[in-house]
C-alpha cells in the first residue's frame, strides 16, 4: 500500500481535478489523505482514491458535493465493486433483456428500477412514460434526486466497469430532456438567465433547474451549451436579468473570469451564481455563491428573482 500512495499532485492528475479541489474536499468533507510518515506530507492511499473517484463521479453527474461526500465516505472497497450508493446488498450482475447487465442502483425506488430497465432496453416510449408520470406526481426536484440521478449514476458505474453503454446514457438523457420540457412554463418576463460556461457541453442539470423553477412560478431563459462570454454579455445587455446562473461540469470550463465580467458589466444582475462540480469554491469571486443541490438552487434563485 505504501508504494501505491500518491501525493496530492499525483492524485489530482489521476482524478482529473485541481489540487485546490482536493484540498476543498479534504477541509470541507473529510476526504483527505490517510497515510502519514514522519517528516513527510500525507499521501493518498488506494482506498482514499476509491472514495475520491466516487466523489468526482457523483459531482460530475450533478450531485451536491456534501451529498456526494456522504456517499463517498461509505465506500470501504476498491472501485471494481460498485459501491457508490447508500449501503445495502451489492447489486447482482445478471443478464437481462436488452442484451446488457442491470444498472447498479442500491436501494433505489421502484420508479428508478423501472427507468433503469427501460434504459437498458433502449425503450424510448417506456422511458418517457415513467419520467412523465414521476415528474407529474412527485415534482421535478424529487424526480431528479430520487429517480433520475440514481439511474444516471448507475449508468456511469457500468461505463466505468465496461467502457460500454454510452448509447444507454444518450437515450436516457434525451428522454429526460423531453420529459422536462413538458413541465408547463409560467407566463411573464423571465428574470432568470441560465447558461452553460464557455465550451461546456453538459446542460441536463440546467434543464432540470429550469423545469423546477417553472414549478415554482419562476420563468427562465436557458441559453444552452457552449456560450462564449461575449454572447452571454450581449444576452444580459438585451434582457436585463435579475439572476444569472453559469453551469460548469468540469474544471476545464470553469474559468472564473467569465463570472467576474458579469459583475463588472454595464447591466450587472442582482445575483450572479455558479453551479456545477467544475467550479472550485476558493476560485470564485467573493460575490458569487456556488449553488448546492437542485432544491437549494431553486430556493436561492426564486428568492433573488422576486
Amino acid at each position: 500500500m505504501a508504494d501505491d500512495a500518491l501525493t496530492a499532485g499525483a492524485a489530482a492528475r489521476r482524478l482529473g481535478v485541481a489540487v485546490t479541489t482536493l484540498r476543498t474536499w479534504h477541509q470541507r468533507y473529510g476526504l483527505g489523505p490517510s497515510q502519514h510518515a514522519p517528516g513527510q506530507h500525507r499521501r493518498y492511499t488506494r482506498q482514499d482514491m476509491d472514495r475520491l473517484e466516487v466523489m468526482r463521479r457523483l459531482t460530475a453527474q450533478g450531485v451536491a458535493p456534501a451529498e456526494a461526500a456522504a456517499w463517498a465516505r461509505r465506500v470501504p472497497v476498491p472501485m471494481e465493486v460498485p459501491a457508490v450508493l447508500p449501503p445495502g446488498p451489492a447489486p447482482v450482475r445478471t443478464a437481462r433483456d436488452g442484451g446488457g447487465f442491470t444498472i447498479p442502483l442500491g436501494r433505489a425506488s421502484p420508479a428508478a428500477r423501472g427507468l433503469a430497465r427501460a434504459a437498458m432496453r433502449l425503450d424510448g416510449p417506456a422511458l418517457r412514460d415513467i419520467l412523465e408520470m414521476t415528474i407529474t406526481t412527485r415534482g421535478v426536484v424529487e424526480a431528479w434526486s430520487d429517480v433520475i440521478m440514481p439511474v444516471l449514476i448507475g449508468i456511469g458505474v457500468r461505463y466505468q466497469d465496461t467502457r460500454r453503454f454510452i448509447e444507454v446514457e444518450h437515450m436516457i438523457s434525451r428522454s429526460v430532456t423531453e420529459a422536462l420540457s413538458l413541465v408547463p412554463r409560467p407566463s411573464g418576463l423571465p428574470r432568470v438567465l441560465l447558461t452553460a460556461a464557455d465550451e461546456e457541453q453538459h446542460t441536463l442539470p440546467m434543464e432540470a433547474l429550469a423545469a423546477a423553477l417553472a414549478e415554482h412560478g419562476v420563468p427562465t431563459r436557458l441559453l444552452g451549451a457552449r456560450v462564449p462570454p461575449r454572447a452571454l454579455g450581449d444576452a444580459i445587455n438585451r434582457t436585463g436579468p435579475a439572476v444569472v446562473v453559469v453551469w460548469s461540469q468540469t474544471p476545464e470550463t470553469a474559468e472564473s473570469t467569465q463570472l467576474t465580467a458579469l459583475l463588472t458589466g454595464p447591466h450587472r444582475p442582482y445575483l450572479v451564481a455558479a453551479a456545477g462540480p467544475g467550479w472550485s469554491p476558493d476560485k470564485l469571486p467573493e460575490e458569487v455563491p456556488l449553488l448546492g443541490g437542485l432544491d437549494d438552487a431553486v430556493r436561492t434563485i426564486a428568492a433573488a428573482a422576486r
Side-chain angles (χ1 to χ4, degrees):
M1 181 67 70
D3 293 338
D4 295 334
L6 301 175
T7 64
R13 287 191 294 273
R14 180 167 297 184
L15 292 166
V17 303
V19 173
T20 53
T21 299
L22 289 187
R23 292 182 185 140
T24 298
W25 290 352
H26 183 191
Q27 294 166 1
R28 293 193 177 189
Y29 310 116
L31 296 177
S34 59
Q35 185 184 99
H36 177 65
Q40 297 181 5
H41 291 293
R42 289 184 179 272
R43 290 176 176 257
Y44 291 88
T45 65
R46 187 176 303 170
Q47 188 179 62
D48 295 333
M49 294 299 295
D50 290 342
R51 293 190 175 111
L52 289 172
E53 176 61 28
V54 172
M55 182 71 174
R56 183 200 62 78
R57 184 183 301 147
L58 295 186
T59 54
Q61 292 287 356
V63 178
E67 182 181 358
W71 287 6
R73 285 193 295 268
R74 296 168 179 164
V75 178
V77 294
M79 283 302 298
E80 286 74 19
V81 178
V84 299
L85 295 176
V92 178
R93 301 187 181 193
T94 56
R96 294 290 178 89
D97 47 2
F101 292 95
T102 56
I103 296 174
L105 296 178
R107 295 176 178 172
S109 66
R113 294 188 179 281
L115 190 68
R117 288 193 294 269
M120 291 300 284
R121 294 196 304 268
L122 301 180
D123 188 341
L127 284 170
R128 287 189 291 273
D129 288 345
I130 295 169
L131 288 166
E132 291 173 20
M133 179 185 66
T134 304
I135 291 171
T136 300
T137 58
R138 302 176 64 175
V140 173
V141 171
E142 191 173 337
W144 177 260
S145 301
D146 296 346
V147 178
I148 298 170
M149 282 304 307
V151 177
L152 292 175
I153 293 168
I155 292 172
V157 172
R158 296 299 298 121
Y159 175 77
Q160 185 73 20
D161 289 344
T162 65
R163 291 299 188 267
R164 296 174 56 200
F165 306 117
I166 291 177
E167 74 284 0
V168 176
E169 189 274 334
H170 285 189
M171 185 75 176
I172 191 172
S173 295
R174 181 60 185 171
S175 298
V176 170
T177 293
E178 293 173 353
L180 292 171
S181 71
L182 298 177
V183 175
R185 265 42 179 183
S187 59
L189 183 66
R191 304 191 68 216
V192 177
L193 182 63
L194 308 177
T195 180
D198 189 19
E199 297 302 326
E200 177 56 65
Q201 301 187 59
H202 298 84
T203 63
L204 197 58
M206 296 298 274
E207 294 170 29
L209 177 57
L213 285 167
E215 286 187 334
H216 286 73
V218 180
T220 62
R221 286 187 176 93
L222 175 58
L223 295 185
R226 302 181 69 178
V227 180
R230 181 174 180 178
L232 177 55
D234 289 344
I236 292 172
N237 292 338
R238 288 205 299 274
T239 62
V243 179
V244 175
V245 181
V246 183
W247 173 270
S248 173
Q249 185 90 356
T250 65
E252 288 73 23
T253 62
E255 177 52 61
S256 60
T257 56
Q258 301 174 77
L259 305 173
T260 304
L262 305 184
L263 299 172
T264 58
H267 298 88
R268 173 174 172 165
Y270 173 73
L271 172 66
V272 175
W279 301 107
S280 176
D282 56 352
K283 291 185 178 180
L284 293 176
E286 185 176 352
E287 305 95 325
V288 177
L290 179 59
L291 301 178
L294 184 57
D295 195 23
D296 171 67
V298 170
R299 287 195 300 268
T300 300
I301 294 168
R306 289 169 181 156

